[in-house]
Amino acid sequence: MQLQSVKFCLMFASKVQKQLDDLPPKDRKQYEKAFECFANNGPAYPSLRTHRYRCKDSNIWSSSASMAKRFYWHYTEDKSILVTHIDSH
Protein backbone atom coordinates (compact mmCIF):
# COMPACT_ATOMS: atom_id res chain seq x y z
CA MET A 1 0.00 0.00 0.00
CA GLN A 2 1.22 3.48 -0.82
CA LEU A 3 -0.03 6.67 0.85
CA GLN A 4 0.16 10.06 -0.79
CA SER A 5 0.29 13.27 1.19
CA VAL A 6 -1.64 16.17 -0.27
CA LYS A 7 -0.63 19.69 0.71
CA PHE A 8 -2.83 22.72 0.12
CA CYS A 9 -1.74 26.33 -0.23
CA LEU A 10 -3.93 28.60 1.91
CA MET A 11 -4.28 32.27 1.03
CA PHE A 12 -6.16 34.78 3.14
CA ALA A 13 -8.30 37.69 2.01
CA SER A 14 -7.03 40.98 3.46
CA LYS A 15 -10.20 41.26 5.58
CA VAL A 16 -9.51 37.83 7.11
CA GLN A 17 -5.87 38.68 7.81
CA LYS A 18 -6.96 41.83 9.65
CA GLN A 19 -9.56 39.88 11.64
CA LEU A 20 -6.94 37.29 12.62
CA ASP A 21 -4.49 40.02 13.64
CA ASP A 22 -7.14 41.56 15.91
CA LEU A 23 -8.08 38.30 17.69
CA PRO A 24 -6.92 37.48 21.22
CA PRO A 25 -3.95 35.06 21.18
CA LYS A 26 -6.02 32.07 22.36
CA ASP A 27 -8.57 32.48 19.56
CA ARG A 28 -5.92 33.10 16.92
CA LYS A 29 -4.08 29.95 18.02
CA GLN A 30 -7.25 27.88 17.46
CA TYR A 31 -7.57 29.20 13.91
CA GLU A 32 -3.84 28.70 13.20
CA LYS A 33 -4.03 25.09 14.37
CA ALA A 34 -7.05 24.47 12.11
CA PHE A 35 -5.33 26.14 9.13
CA GLU A 36 -2.23 23.99 9.63
CA CYS A 37 -4.34 20.83 9.82
CA PHE A 38 -6.27 21.95 6.73
CA ALA A 39 -3.11 22.69 4.72
CA ASN A 40 -1.49 19.37 5.63
CA ASN A 41 -4.50 17.05 5.44
CA GLY A 42 -7.06 18.75 3.23
CA PRO A 43 -10.69 19.66 3.84
CA ALA A 44 -11.80 16.04 4.28
CA TYR A 45 -9.98 15.74 7.61
CA PRO A 46 -12.79 14.70 10.04
CA SER A 47 -12.24 17.20 12.86
CA LEU A 48 -12.60 20.14 10.43
CA ARG A 49 -16.27 19.21 9.79
CA THR A 50 -16.27 20.71 6.29
CA HIS A 51 -19.56 21.56 4.55
CA ARG A 52 -20.35 22.84 1.05
CA TYR A 53 -22.86 25.59 0.35
CA ARG A 54 -23.99 25.84 -3.23
CA CYS A 55 -24.24 29.37 -4.58
CA LYS A 56 -25.49 30.62 -7.91
CA ASP A 57 -22.11 30.59 -9.68
CA SER A 58 -19.84 28.66 -7.32
CA ASN A 59 -19.51 26.73 -4.09
CA ILE A 60 -18.57 28.20 -0.72
CA TRP A 61 -17.12 25.80 1.82
CA SER A 62 -16.94 26.11 5.58
CA SER A 63 -14.74 24.30 8.07
CA SER A 64 -14.43 24.43 11.84
CA ALA A 65 -11.54 25.73 13.89
CA SER A 66 -13.43 24.78 17.05
CA MET A 67 -17.01 24.19 18.12
CA ALA A 68 -17.82 27.89 17.81
CA LYS A 69 -15.26 29.11 15.28
CA ARG A 70 -15.68 28.61 11.54
CA PHE A 71 -13.90 29.76 8.43
CA TYR A 72 -15.26 30.03 4.90
CA TRP A 73 -13.27 29.40 1.76
CA HIS A 74 -13.27 28.40 -1.88
CA TYR A 75 -10.89 26.71 -4.28
CA THR A 76 -8.91 29.08 -6.49
CA GLU A 77 -6.85 26.42 -8.25
CA ASP A 78 -6.26 22.70 -7.93
CA LYS A 79 -4.56 22.85 -4.50
CA SER A 80 -4.95 26.54 -3.67
CA ILE A 81 -7.61 27.79 -1.32
CA LEU A 82 -8.70 31.33 -0.47
CA VAL A 83 -10.08 31.87 3.04
CA THR A 84 -12.69 34.58 2.62
CA HIS A 85 -14.39 34.89 6.04
CA ILE A 86 -14.01 33.83 9.66
CA ASP A 87 -16.66 33.98 12.35
CA SER A 88 -17.65 32.66 15.73
CA HIS A 89 -21.05 31.93 17.14
Side-chain angles (χ1 to χ4, degrees), residues 6-17:
V6 177
K7 300 272 186 182
F8 287 86
C9 175
L10 269 63
M11 299 174 286
F12 300 91
S14 58
K15 173 184 167 182
V16 172
Q17 190 60 57

Side-chain angles (χ1 to χ4, degrees), residues 53-73:
Y53 300 96
R54 294 181 190 265
C55 298
K56 190 180 251 185
D57 299 327
S58 65
N59 293 316
I60 299 291
W61 298 80
S62 72
S63 298
S64 296
S66 72
M67 290 299 287
K69 293 174 179 61
R70 301 196 60 76
F71 57 97
Y72 300 86
W73 54 274

Side-chain angles (χ1 to χ4, degrees), residues 4-5 10 17 19 22 26 28 30-31 34 37 39-40 46-48 51 54 59 64 67 69 73 76 79 83 88:
Q4 181 180 355
S5 176
L10 269 63
Q17 190 60 57
Q19 287 176 303
D22 293 342
K26 182 179 177 185
R28 183 180 173 107
Q30 287 179 306
Y31 277 108
C37 180
N40 290 328
S47 69
L48 293 172
H51 300 282
R54 294 181 190 265
N59 293 316
S64 296
M67 290 299 287
K69 293 174 179 61
W73 54 274
T76 57
K79 293 180 185 168
V83 179
S88 60

